[in-house]
Amino acid sequence: MALNQVPDHVPPEMVGDFSLFTSPGMLPTPDGDPQAATACVHAGPPIFYSPFNTRDGRGTWVITRATDQRRVLQDADTFSSHRSIFASALGENWPMIPLELDPPAHGVFRSLLNPLLSPKRVTALEPAVRERAIALIDSIAASGTSCDVMKDFALPFAVSIFLRLLGLPDHRLHTFVGWANDLLHGDDVKRPAAARTILAFIDELAAMRREEPVDDFMTFILQAQVEGRRLTDEEVRGIGVLVFVAGLDTVAAAIGFDLAFLARHPEEQELLRSEPNRIVLAAEELLRAYPTVQIIRVARKDIDFEGAPIRKGDYVSCATMIANRDPAEFECPETIDLMREDNRHAAFGYGPHRCLGSHLARREIVIGLEEWLARLPAFRIKEGTAPIAYGGHVFGIENLIVDWS
């Protein structure tokens, strides 16, 4: 079947005119708000079919209600995670681990990796995270009265924490930022090239750590055992790739969207600056308002779901930004209320695959905001510029130039 053609089993009345890639507000737009633009789906049915809703032009079922998304994400027997997102850029088929594994294998690897990103481990990492944020912000403050938030702060900050986790020095920082950008936002030439480069790097790092073990993430993976055996080369690679990809763009984009919001709302900025103890709560609401990930599952069998005839092999989209604007879940979902309590947002997903790095991501975002507000005066979007935000598989923001002159 041709891509973005509607399958025969989808009733015509269930086809919706919406895509996270092409609908109004999704293409790169100055001063755009792609997350808010997804809220339009709540005026329609709880589930519909979007003929073009993945990077490679496939159609997906779109689940709009938070409660239904939780049902899908909790039910790994019916909805599989194995999509080979990274490997497919290379024309290959292997899973990022544990993200693209289904139970019971998923649980085995998840248990192995949980301690590496546990709250306790994150607390131990926290001084290094704060030190990195301070160094970057102090350098920005010393070099003038404006900066490009993503290039000068958000991406180098997120990438340097990833490097610290892997036990690597910061001098390769800009190389890694370039790879991440090409992989996540590059064209059909840059993406596969970046994917190959990242794989070669992970293989090379694994070979080095086999020869000379040190106290770091890669050595841990190489020495670990699952079910009484060492990990295969493909498993080491699958974990390495996930740690690389998952920790970069998502945290950087979250910090970018947060600072863009604060740049446009001086009164909220002032509140958090004068009462920094409110930042933890505010960061949760900003995660609700500006999540960045579309989670996709693949149906493992035919199922009738809320009246939708989902067939084996169909893609099912649980977009976090749609769940987070669900009026059945959140009072006044379109209002960004930094004091919102009991915030059951979906930014980190749900169920057995809930984001493994969520504790670290939360601390990176909070520390980034704390140090930014403590070290820079009131800031705004620089006159004559406009940030460009966009939808897609991972939502993002760029050209965010702020000024505090």
Side-chain angles (χ1 to χ4, degrees):
M1 187 183 73
L3 288 179
N4 60 30
Q5 189 179 322
V6 178
D8 293 341
H9 63 268
V10 176
E13 67 276 10
M14 295 199 84
V15 178
D17 181 22
F18 176 81
S19 159
L20 288 176
F21 290 78
T22 58
S23 284
M26 296 302 141
L27 295 169
T29 312
D31 285 324
D33 189 346
Q35 287 92 343
T38 65
C40 65
V41 301
H42 291 294
I47 180 169
F48 63 90
Y49 191 85
S50 166
F52 184 104
N53 202 36
T54 66
R55 181 184 261 153
D56 55 3
R58 282 173 174 252
T60 74
W61 291 98
V62 177
I63 311 282
T64 69
R65 291 193 299 220
T67 181
D68 289 339
Q69 285 197 15
R70 288 195 288 268
R71 274 175 59 200
V72 168
L73 297 173
Q74 193 68 48
D75 183 1
D77 291 337
T78 307
F79 300 102
S80 169
S81 299
H82 185 58
R83 283 181 57 222
S84 296
I85 302 169
F86 185 95
S88 63
L90 302 166
E92 296 172 10
N93 179 30
W94 44 266
M96 288 191 284
I97 296 175
L99 180 71
E100 296 181 321
L101 291 180
D102 292 318
H106 169 263
V108 172
F109 282 93
R110 180 83 185 208
S111 301
L112 171 73
L113 295 172
N114 271 336
L116 287 177
L117 290 158
S118 66
K120 186 179 169 186
R121 178 92 175 92
V122 169
T123 301
L125 270 172
E126 197 161 306
V129 174
R130 196 171 293 279
E131 180 190 311
R132 194 70 200 122
I134 291 170
L136 284 164
I137 295 163
D138 283 354
S139 160
I140 288 167
S143 53
T145 56
S146 82
C147 77
D148 180 323
V149 168
M150 300 311 290
K151 286 183 182 160
D152 298 334
F153 178 58
L155 259 173
F157 179 51
V159 175
S160 69
I161 304 309
F162 157 79
L163 293 177
R164 189 67 57 102
L165 198 64
L166 280 191
L168 296 170
D170 268 347
H171 68 253
R172 296 186 69 180
L173 185 68
H174 291 291
T175 310
F176 283 90
V177 171
W179 294 351
N181 264 329
D182 285 352
L183 179 74
L184 295 153
H185 307 295
D187 56 24
D188 291 344
V189 178
K190 283 183 172 173
R191 274 189 68 224
R196 282 183 208 290
T197 306
I198 291 162
L199 268 192
F201 162 74
I202 284 162
D203 290 346
E204 178 194 339
L205 181 65
M208 276 166 50
R209 293 296 185 255
R210 276 194 186 94
E211 289 292 312
E212 288 184 44
V214 297
D215 180 19
D216 73 350
F217 188 93
M218 183 57 84
T219 304
F220 174 86
I221 300 301
L222 293 169
Q223 294 180 346
Q225 295 209 339
V226 292
E227 299 174 323
R229 62 168 179 84
R230 289 278 168 94
L231 276 62
T232 65
D233 289 352
E234 189 175 89
E235 288 165 345
V236 168
R237 181 183 263 197
I239 292 170
V241 165
L242 178 63
V243 172
F244 184 91
V245 177
L248 299 188
D249 211 37
T250 45
V251 170
I255 290 171
F257 280 115
D258 294 359
L259 290 175
F261 171 83
L262 292 173
R264 293 187 181 106
H265 295 87
E267 68 295 344
E268 304 280 25
Q269 199 185 127
E270 192 39 53
L271 173 71
L272 298 185
R273 196 178 266 110
S274 60
E275 299 182 49
N277 60 324
R278 293 178 181 261
I279 291 174
V280 170
L281 195 61
E284 292 303 309
E285 174 66 347
L286 292 167
L287 280 165
R288 183 193 72 83
Y290 299 111
T292 56
V293 179
Q294 167 177 222
I295 301 169
I296 289 183
R297 295 288 180 260
V298 185
R300 301 175 84 161
K301 56 191 177 196
D302 294 357
I303 180 178
D304 182 78
F305 189 93
E306 294 296 309
I310 297 175
R311 295 292 166 260
K312 184 179 178 177
D314 282 1
Y315 277 25
V316 180
S317 162
C318 295
T320 56
M321 55 291 300
I322 289 177
N324 282 356
R325 302 271 173 163
D326 181 357
E329 193 81 4
F330 301 99
E331 199 176 325
C332 306
E334 295 314 294
T335 303
I336 298 177
D337 172 9
L338 298 188
M339 299 302 106
R340 189 185 292 270
E341 304 268 3
D342 302 324
N343 200 334
R344 286 183 68 193
H345 65 73
F348 294 116
Y350 187 78
H353 283 277
R354 190 181 181 284
C355 173
L356 181 67
S358 62
H359 303 300
L360 179 58
R362 275 197 163 98
R363 290 312 295 155
E364 284 182 68
I365 292 165
V366 167
I367 288 168
L369 293 176
E370 283 173 351
E371 296 303 336
W372 183 279
L373 291 166
R375 286 164 194 280
L376 291 172
F379 59 96
R380 59 204 161 271
I381 308 288
K382 185 169 185 169
E383 210 170 310
T385 74
I388 292 171
Y390 49 86
H393 182 65
V394 177
F395 282 35
I397 185 166
E398 52 198 41
N399 196 47
L400 173 56
I401 317 292
V402 298
D403 179 86
W404 52 92
S405 56

